[in-house]
Amino acid sequence: MNKYCFPKKKFLSKKTILVTGASDGIGKTASIYYAKYGANLILLGRNLNKLQQVKSHILEKCFFRVEIQIFEIDLLNINESKCLHLVKVIKNSFPYINGILHNASILGENNPIINYSSVIWQNVFKVNIYSVFLLTKFLLPLILESVNGSIILTSSNVVKKGKANLGAYTTSKFATEGFMKVLHEEYRNSSVRVNCINPGRVRTKMRITSFQNEKKKLFLTREIMPVYLYLMSDESIKDSGKVFNCQELIK
Ligand code: NDP
């Protein structure tokens, strides 16, 4: 499909995009590609050093003159006052946000529900879905200030069929798709669009540490970027309420 090829240069210029989990894996690569195509960035992560490295890498490559703000936040401890502070910091540099990529997630433990740690279950929900709710709630006014805002959430193959022994992660990804559908309905008559990306099997820290003996072919993070770029660009303004499955779209 042509629209999932790498697009012409700079088609995200004048856009400001916030990425969670920007310090590694898919979020890091998406941040690099968004900058490569001209977007200003707000990078969220729990490790300031790693975020600074991503920022330096992007600025060293000198793609374009893009502005990059980094914000250290552990999504495990996110709360309303941290969100208010984030909004205040963003407003010092940017009048609005054009896009949010909710990308950060944790996998939790590998255990059947009967043995699943309730602390880890709560942590997975805090990072994977509660933070998505809070950030969306507080950032929506900034998104609504922009024209054609795009909110992307991150789903997974585990939603196709409940994944045994990954109960918290799987349930949080079902909740992610549910959240996307609700937000899509709430903004149906606005220019804001809300979609999920299911990245498929991608070679990242999360994948390698959790599925060590996996034999199936894995995407490199850059291979799935056309979908991440498409959904942040004005090419996708008519798309909302959908799940974009990279395994089906990228051949
Ligand atoms: P990685 O583990 O490689 O990266 C996750 C990112 O989220 C890192 O930047 C990590 O920060 C950050 N993060 C984790 N916990 C927190 C926290 N408490 N606060 C702030 N940031 C945090 O994962 P992937 O890149 O593989 O995954 C990205 C998304 O894609 C996830 O939503 C995942 O569920 C989804 N996905 C991935 C698949 C795959 O095959 N890789 C398959 C299906 C879905 P730090 O650098 O500090 O660790």
Side-chain angles (χ1 to χ4, degrees):
M1 243 189 270
N2 281 343
K3 65 184 182 182
Y4 303 114
C5 296
F6 283 101
K8 59 182 186 295
K9 290 266 158 62
K10 232 177 160 179
F11 83 150
L12 295 178
S13 68
K14 300 205 178 74
K15 290 195 187 293
T16 299
I17 297 171
L18 182 145
V19 179
T20 73
S23 56
D24 216 326
I26 295 168
K28 176 180 171 181
T29 305
S31 303
I32 293 169
Y33 272 81
Y34 289 151
K36 201 170 175 174
Y37 283 89
N40 297 315
L41 296 171
I42 303 154
L43 306 179
L44 264 61
R46 62 184 165 182
N47 183 322
L48 195 56
N49 270 344
K50 285 174 82 174
L51 285 178
Q52 271 159 347
Q53 281 169 26
V54 175
K55 179 176 174 176
S56 304
H57 172 83
I58 293 172
L59 294 178
E60 266 167 35
K61 294 281 172 188
C62 276
F63 302 128
F64 300 108
R65 281 177 62 87
V66 294
E67 241 186 279
I68 305 174
Q69 216 178 41
I70 54 178
F71 196 90
E72 184 185 15
I73 186 165
D74 186 343
L75 297 176
L76 203 50
N77 305 316
I78 194 166
N79 58 34
E80 296 209 342
S81 66
K82 286 179 186 172
C83 289
L84 282 171
H85 179 58
L86 170 66
V87 169
K88 201 172 150 196
V89 172
I90 292 172
K91 278 183 170 172
N92 286 335
S93 303
F94 304 109
Y96 52 77
I97 297 178
N98 302 87
I100 303 176
L101 172 61
H102 288 290
N103 160 80
S105 274
I106 53 173
L107 213 48
E109 66 178 0
N110 203 312
N111 245 333
I113 284 173
I114 194 166
N115 293 327
Y116 208 101
S117 150
S118 41
V119 173
I120 295 176
W121 187 283
Q122 274 191 328
N123 289 346
V124 171
F125 267 71
K126 277 185 200 156
V127 175
N128 295 11
I129 191 71
Y130 180 61
S131 78
V132 169
F133 154 70
L134 264 193
L135 286 172
T136 305
K137 173 180 162 150
F138 281 89
L139 295 173
L140 262 169
L142 280 170
I143 282 272
L144 290 165
E145 287 290 322
S146 74
V147 182
N148 299 328
S150 174
I151 300 177
I152 304 174
L153 297 98
T154 309
S155 186
S156 164
N157 279 342
V158 296
V159 170
K160 291 182 182 162
K161 180 179 164 229
K163 177 90 176 156
N165 304 325
L166 277 181
Y169 179 78
T170 302
T171 317
S172 77
K173 293 299 182 185
F174 273 96
T176 299
E177 291 201 6
F179 185 91
M180 179 274 285
K181 293 278 182 199
V182 172
L183 201 59
H184 159 68
E185 287 300 328
E186 289 178 356
Y187 287 88
R188 186 181 265 286
N189 297 319
S190 79
S191 71
V192 175
R193 60 199 190 280
V194 194
N195 294 286
C196 280
I197 294 179
N198 171 3
R201 292 181 289 271
V202 190
R203 184 177 297 280
T204 63
K205 174 171 57 104
M206 178 188 275
R207 192 91 207 176
I208 302 296
T209 50
S210 315
F211 303 97
Q212 283 160 1
N213 299 320
E214 194 169 40
K215 296 276 184 296
K216 289 178 180 152
K217 182 182 178 298
L218 302 180
F219 281 125
L220 301 176
T221 53
R222 67 177 157 75
E223 291 178 305
I224 57 172
M225 286 304 122
V227 181
Y228 285 75
L229 288 165
Y230 169 75
L231 279 178
M232 277 304 174
S233 79
D234 289 345
E235 306 287 305
S236 60
I237 51 179
K238 295 214 169 85
D239 289 306
S240 191
K242 300 179 186 169
V243 179
F244 288 76
N245 189 331
C246 294
Q247 261 164 237
E248 288 165 10
L249 299 171
I250 308 274
K251 299 290 176 198

